[in-house]
Amino acid sequence: MTRHPATALLFLTVKALAMLPMRILYLLSGALYFLIYRVARYRKAVVRDNMRHAFPEQTEGERRRMERKFYRHLADLTVEIIKLASIPHAELLRRAQLRNPGILRPLFDRGHTCILLLMGHCGNWEWLTGFADSFGMKLQIHQIYRPLSGKPFDRLFIYLRTRFNAFVMDKNSALRRIIRLKRDGTPSLVVFIADQTPSRANIHYRTTFLNQDTAMFTGAERIAVKLNLPVLFADVRQTRRGYYTVDFELITDRPREMPEYAVTEQYARLMERCILRDPSNWLWTHRRWKHTRPQ
C-alpha cells in the first residue's frame, strides 16, 4: 500500500534518527528539552497547575526543580520512543527488564487465558511492547489505544508498538476483541494505560488521587468483572538514564468477589505510589483533572 507523502516523510525521518546510537540521541534530547521547555513552553501552564495541586506542601522552588526534571525526562522519552524504530530486541529487553514474568504461569495453570494489565504513563511505557517473548510461552500482548487524530502519527505509533509481535486494540472495539480472545483460548495479556481521564459521560467512580478529587477510568474493572479476568498492575521504575525495570503485581484473580470499584481503587493507590516515588517520571502534561465534581 502506498503511503501518503506526509506519512512517508515522517517514517523516513524517524527511522533515520533511530539509527543513531543512544548517546547521540541523548545529546539531541538536551536540545529538545531546551526547545519544548524554554522556547515552546509546551503545556507549561498545565504542568504547573497539576504539580501545584498535587504537591501543595512544596515550595515554589521545589516544584520548579521537579518541573525541569520532568521536561528533561519528557525529552529523553521522546528520543527513546524514536529509537523503537530500530532498536534490536535483545537491547530493548536489556534496557527494559521484566523482573517477575513467572507471575503469569499460576494464573494460566488455573485455567485463565486472558489477563488484564493496568499501568500508567510512568517511566517509558512504550518499551513494554517488547515483552511478548519473555514469559517462556506463546503469549499475545495487546495494547488498548486511542487512535490519534493525525493519521501519519497514528500509523507511526501503530508501527512502533507492533514491531516486536505485539498488537494494538482500538478502545472502541476492545470489549468485543477481548471476548473473542477469551472464547478462542488465546493466551493473552491486554494492557490498559488507565491513568487517563474518562469522558464526562463515563465517570462512574471518583477517589482522592494526588491530593485531588479525581474521576477514574473504570472500563478495565468492568471488563474484568464481566469476563472474570485476573488483573495485574505494572510498576515501572527508572534505574538510570535509558534503563527501566518492571514488576507485575496481582490486584486480583477473583474480580467478581471484589466490592464494586475496589479494583479501580487499588489501581489508584498503586499508581499513586509509583508517581510519588519519582514524580518527574509521570506525564504531567495530561489535563488529568479537567472534569470537576458537579456541585
Side-chain angles (χ1 to χ4, degrees):
M1 182 175 65
T2 303
R3 286 182 182 151
H4 187 276
T7 303
L9 179 60
L10 178 63
F11 270 69
L12 182 63
T13 302
V14 167
K15 287 184 176 182
L17 289 172
M19 297 302 294
L20 297 172
M22 286 302 305
R23 66 180 183 278
I24 303 300
L25 286 174
Y26 282 135
L27 289 177
L28 295 178
S29 172
L32 182 61
Y33 160 76
F34 181 81
L35 178 65
I36 62 176
Y37 182 60
R38 300 293 186 183
V39 180
R41 300 172 63 86
Y42 173 67
R43 292 196 175 183
K44 190 178 284 189
V46 174
V47 172
R48 288 185 176 178
D49 192 56
N50 285 344
M51 288 184 172
R52 179 170 56 84
H53 287 96
F55 303 105
E57 75 286 355
Q58 292 192 1
T59 66
E60 193 71 17
E62 288 171 332
R63 289 197 294 268
R64 288 292 183 273
R65 285 191 290 274
M66 187 193 307
E67 175 186 294
R68 290 191 292 271
K69 192 176 178 182
F70 159 68
Y71 276 98
R72 291 189 185 280
H73 167 69
L74 182 62
D76 278 359
L77 176 64
T78 302
V79 299
E80 288 171 7
I81 292 174
I82 288 172
K83 189 64 179 177
L84 264 179
S86 73
I87 191 170
H89 195 198
E91 183 180 353
L92 181 67
L93 295 180
R94 182 170 59 85
R95 288 178 171 273
Q97 296 183 358
L98 176 59
R99 299 201 295 187
N100 60 337
I103 193 173
L104 298 187
R105 177 57 68 178
L107 299 173
F108 286 116
D109 288 346
R110 290 202 293 272
H112 295 290
T113 57
C114 186
I115 298 169
L116 306 187
L117 177 69
L118 306 188
M119 60 180 301
H121 292 90
C122 266
N124 186 335
W125 58 92
E126 296 290 354
W127 278 7
L128 271 66
T129 58
F131 286 166
D133 300 325
S134 301
F135 302 97
M137 59 183 295
K138 188 174 179 61
L139 178 74
Q140 292 184 5
I141 293 182
H142 297 260
Q143 182 177 328
I144 309 290
Y145 89 111
R146 180 181 300 173
L148 301 175
S149 56
K151 284 294 183 183
F153 281 97
D154 189 56
R155 290 169 181 162
L156 173 66
F157 272 87
I158 290 175
Y159 165 74
L160 295 176
R161 289 168 178 169
T162 57
R163 265 200 74 209
F164 299 108
N165 301 318
F167 301 85
V168 294
M169 189 181 290
D170 189 324
K171 70 181 186 67
N172 297 311
S173 60
L175 176 58
R176 183 169 64 254
R177 291 185 59 183
I178 293 170
I179 290 173
R180 187 181 304 129
L181 288 173
K182 182 179 181 182
R183 183 194 63 207
D184 294 345
T186 306
S188 309
L189 188 66
V190 181
V191 183
F192 289 78
I193 300 183
D195 58 350
Q196 302 185 55
T197 307
S199 65
R200 190 176 293 277
N202 287 309
I203 295 176
H204 304 290
Y205 180 68
R206 290 178 174 271
T207 189
T208 300
F209 179 73
L210 293 178
N211 200 47
Q212 298 163 84
D213 181 74
T214 307
M216 298 299 298
F217 171 78
T218 58
E221 175 175 339
R222 294 199 303 273
I223 291 174
V225 171
K226 181 179 181 68
L227 302 178
N228 197 33
L229 305 179
V231 184
L232 302 176
F233 174 76
D235 185 358
V236 182
R237 300 171 186 248
Q238 184 173 25
T239 55
R240 58 192 172 103
R241 194 180 197 184
Y243 289 85
Y244 303 87
T245 61
V246 183
D247 293 274
F248 287 172
E249 299 183 35
L250 180 66
I251 292 179
T252 182
D253 59 351
R254 296 177 175 86
R256 290 176 176 170
E257 299 176 16
M258 300 278 282
E260 188 175 22
Y261 301 125
V263 170
T264 301
E265 178 63 27
Q266 190 167 344
Y267 165 75
R269 302 285 67 84
L270 292 169
M271 193 68 244
E272 189 175 58
R273 182 194 69 187
C274 189
I275 295 167
L276 294 177
R277 186 176 60 227
D278 190 354
S280 62
N281 267 17
W282 192 52
L283 195 61
W284 291 95
T285 49
H286 272 192
R287 292 185 172 89
R288 185 66 184 82
W289 292 278
K290 60 186 178 182
H291 298 317
T292 56
R293 185 190 293 267
Q295 296 300 315

